[in-house]
Amino acid sequence: MSRVSPSSHEASLRMARVRQKGTDAELFLRKELHARGLRYRLQVPLLTKPRRVADIVFPRARIAVFVDGCFWHGCPEHASWPKSNAQFWRDKIEANRARDADTDRRLSASGWRVIRVWAHERAGEAAERIENIVRGGGRLQ
Protein backbone atom coordinates (compact mmCIF):
# COMPACT_ATOMS: atom_id res chain seq x y z
CA MET A 1 0.00 0.00 0.00
CA SER A 2 1.53 3.31 -1.02
CA ARG A 3 1.65 6.29 1.29
CA VAL A 4 0.29 9.66 0.30
CA SER A 5 2.75 12.53 0.53
CA PRO A 6 1.52 15.83 1.95
CA SER A 7 1.45 18.83 -0.33
CA SER A 8 3.74 20.89 1.88
CA HIS A 9 5.63 20.83 5.14
CA GLU A 10 3.02 23.14 6.68
CA ALA A 11 0.21 20.80 5.65
CA SER A 12 2.11 17.91 7.18
CA LEU A 13 2.45 19.81 10.47
CA ARG A 14 -1.28 20.65 10.51
CA MET A 15 -2.20 17.01 9.85
CA ALA A 16 0.16 15.83 12.62
CA ARG A 17 -1.74 18.01 15.13
CA VAL A 18 -5.08 16.32 14.42
CA ARG A 19 -6.00 14.10 17.34
CA GLN A 20 -5.86 10.41 16.41
CA LYS A 21 -6.97 8.89 19.70
CA GLY A 22 -9.11 10.01 22.58
CA THR A 23 -11.43 11.98 20.29
CA ASP A 24 -14.79 13.22 21.57
CA ALA A 25 -16.59 10.46 19.66
CA GLU A 26 -14.37 7.81 21.25
CA LEU A 27 -14.84 9.27 24.74
CA PHE A 28 -18.65 9.38 24.42
CA LEU A 29 -18.74 5.82 23.11
CA ARG A 30 -16.43 4.55 25.85
CA LYS A 31 -18.57 6.24 28.51
CA GLU A 32 -21.72 4.55 27.12
CA LEU A 33 -20.03 1.15 26.96
CA HIS A 34 -18.72 1.48 30.50
CA ALA A 35 -22.16 2.52 31.79
CA ARG A 36 -23.54 -0.69 30.29
CA GLY A 37 -21.08 -2.72 32.33
CA LEU A 38 -18.82 -3.59 29.43
CA ARG A 39 -15.09 -3.60 30.08
CA TYR A 40 -12.57 -3.26 27.31
CA ARG A 41 -9.01 -2.32 26.46
CA LEU A 42 -7.96 0.81 24.61
CA GLN A 43 -5.57 1.43 21.73
CA VAL A 44 -4.56 -2.18 21.31
CA PRO A 45 -2.18 -2.99 18.46
CA LEU A 46 -3.70 -6.05 16.79
CA LEU A 47 -1.60 -6.28 13.65
CA THR A 48 2.03 -5.59 12.85
CA LYS A 49 3.73 -4.75 9.57
CA PRO A 50 1.90 -2.53 9.02
CA ARG A 51 0.82 -1.77 12.54
CA ARG A 52 -2.92 -1.43 13.09
CA VAL A 53 -4.34 -0.27 16.42
CA ALA A 54 -7.98 -0.72 17.37
CA ASP A 55 -9.64 2.05 19.37
CA ILE A 56 -11.57 -0.31 21.65
CA VAL A 57 -11.00 -4.04 22.05
CA PHE A 58 -12.94 -6.81 23.77
CA PRO A 59 -10.18 -9.44 23.89
CA ARG A 60 -12.21 -12.45 25.07
CA ALA A 61 -14.90 -11.94 22.43
CA ARG A 62 -12.19 -11.03 19.86
CA ILE A 63 -14.03 -7.86 18.90
CA ALA A 64 -12.20 -4.79 17.64
CA VAL A 65 -13.96 -1.43 17.45
CA PHE A 66 -12.73 1.41 15.27
CA VAL A 67 -14.23 4.89 15.59
CA ASP A 68 -13.80 6.51 12.18
CA GLY A 69 -13.87 10.25 11.67
CA CYS A 70 -16.23 11.35 8.92
CA PHE A 71 -13.69 13.46 7.04
CA TRP A 72 -10.65 11.22 7.33
CA HIS A 73 -12.43 7.99 6.44
CA GLY A 74 -14.80 9.36 3.79
CA CYS A 75 -18.15 8.97 5.53
CA PRO A 76 -20.87 8.36 2.91
CA GLU A 77 -23.20 10.78 4.73
CA HIS A 78 -20.87 13.58 5.72
CA ALA A 79 -17.79 13.30 3.54
CA SER A 80 -16.78 16.51 1.91
CA TRP A 81 -14.09 16.78 -0.67
CA PRO A 82 -11.89 19.81 -0.15
CA LYS A 83 -11.65 22.14 -3.12
CA SER A 84 -8.16 23.29 -2.25
CA ASN A 85 -5.45 20.76 -3.08
CA ALA A 86 -8.27 18.43 -4.08
CA GLN A 87 -6.18 15.64 -5.60
CA PHE A 88 -4.01 15.34 -2.49
CA TRP A 89 -7.05 15.04 -0.23
CA ARG A 90 -8.82 12.61 -2.54
CA ASP A 91 -5.71 10.39 -2.58
CA LYS A 92 -5.35 10.68 1.20
CA ILE A 93 -8.95 9.75 1.97
CA GLU A 94 -8.96 6.94 -0.61
CA ALA A 95 -5.73 5.59 0.95
CA ASN A 96 -7.43 5.67 4.37
CA ARG A 97 -10.39 3.74 2.99
CA ALA A 98 -8.08 1.16 1.41
CA ARG A 99 -6.19 0.81 4.70
CA ASP A 100 -9.49 0.33 6.59
CA ALA A 101 -10.59 -2.39 4.16
CA ASP A 102 -7.20 -4.10 4.44
CA THR A 103 -7.39 -3.94 8.24
CA ASP A 104 -10.91 -5.41 8.27
CA ARG A 105 -9.88 -8.22 5.92
CA ARG A 106 -6.72 -9.11 7.86
CA LEU A 107 -8.42 -9.02 11.26
CA SER A 108 -11.35 -11.11 10.01
CA ALA A 109 -8.91 -13.65 8.63
CA SER A 110 -7.33 -13.80 12.10
CA GLY A 111 -10.65 -14.52 13.77
CA TRP A 112 -11.51 -11.00 14.92
CA ARG A 113 -14.89 -9.38 14.55
CA VAL A 114 -14.48 -5.80 13.37
CA ILE A 115 -17.02 -3.10 14.20
CA ARG A 116 -16.69 0.30 12.60
CA VAL A 117 -18.49 3.26 14.15
CA TRP A 118 -18.74 6.63 12.43
CA ALA A 119 -17.88 9.63 14.58
CA HIS A 120 -21.29 11.14 13.77
CA GLU A 121 -23.24 8.15 15.15
CA ARG A 122 -25.04 8.62 18.44
CA ALA A 123 -22.91 7.04 21.15
CA GLY A 124 -25.90 5.33 22.75
CA GLU A 125 -26.99 3.66 19.51
CA ALA A 126 -23.45 2.57 18.67
CA ALA A 127 -22.95 1.26 22.22
CA GLU A 128 -26.18 -0.74 21.98
CA ARG A 129 -25.06 -2.32 18.71
CA ILE A 130 -21.67 -3.18 20.21
CA GLU A 131 -23.22 -4.49 23.43
CA ASN A 132 -25.50 -6.84 21.49
CA ILE A 133 -22.56 -8.24 19.59
CA VAL A 134 -20.31 -8.56 22.65
CA ARG A 135 -23.00 -10.20 24.79
CA GLY A 136 -23.89 -12.44 21.85
CA GLY A 137 -20.32 -13.74 21.78
CA GLY A 138 -19.34 -11.80 18.67
CA ARG A 139 -22.03 -13.32 16.46
CA LEU A 140 -24.31 -11.22 14.29
CA GLN A 141 -27.67 -10.52 15.90
Side-chain angles (χ1 to χ4, degrees):
M1 187 176 312
S2 65
R3 295 186 63 112
V4 176
S5 299
S7 59
S8 68
H9 180 67
E10 290 76 23
S12 179
L13 290 176
R14 278 193 308 274
M15 289 172 56
R17 278 188 243 128
V18 174
R19 181 175 273 190
Q20 295 181 350
K21 58 185 174 183
T23 63
D24 287 346
E26 288 178 38
L27 295 176
F28 291 137
L29 179 60
R30 286 168 22 195
K31 185 177 178 179
E32 283 286 335
L33 292 169
H34 194 272
R36 293 167 186 261
L38 296 173
R39 300 300 179 255
Y40 45 81
R41 297 182 67 200
L42 301 175
Q43 302 299 322
V44 178
L46 297 176
L47 296 172
T48 57
K49 298 181 181 178
R51 185 172 189 250
R52 304 292 163 81
V53 179
D55 298 315
I56 300 168
V57 172
F58 297 91
R60 287 189 186 160
R62 293 186 65 83
I63 294 172
V65 179
F66 294 86
V67 180
D68 295 338
C70 291
F71 175 77
W72 297 102
H73 296 267
C75 170
E77 292 182 37
H78 301 104
S80 60
W81 298 102
K83 294 182 176 88
S84 176
N85 203 11
Q87 189 58 50
F88 167 79
W89 287 111
R90 183 166 294 278
D91 292 347
K92 173 70 178 157
I93 293 168
E94 291 298 332
N96 288 348
R97 287 176 166 173
R99 184 191 63 218
D100 293 345
D102 179 63
T103 299
D104 293 356
R105 182 187 52 75
R106 291 176 58 200
L107 285 175
S108 294
S110 300
W112 286 88
R113 174 81 192 272
V114 177
I115 301 171
R116 291 210 170 260
V117 176
W118 288 110
H120 72 262
E121 287 187 57
R122 291 178 185 266
E125 292 173 8
E128 183 174 339
R129 181 166 47 110
I130 293 166
E131 180 182 21
N132 287 338
I133 295 169
V134 169
R135 297 204 192 280
R139 295 181 304 273
L140 287 172
Q141 306 232 335

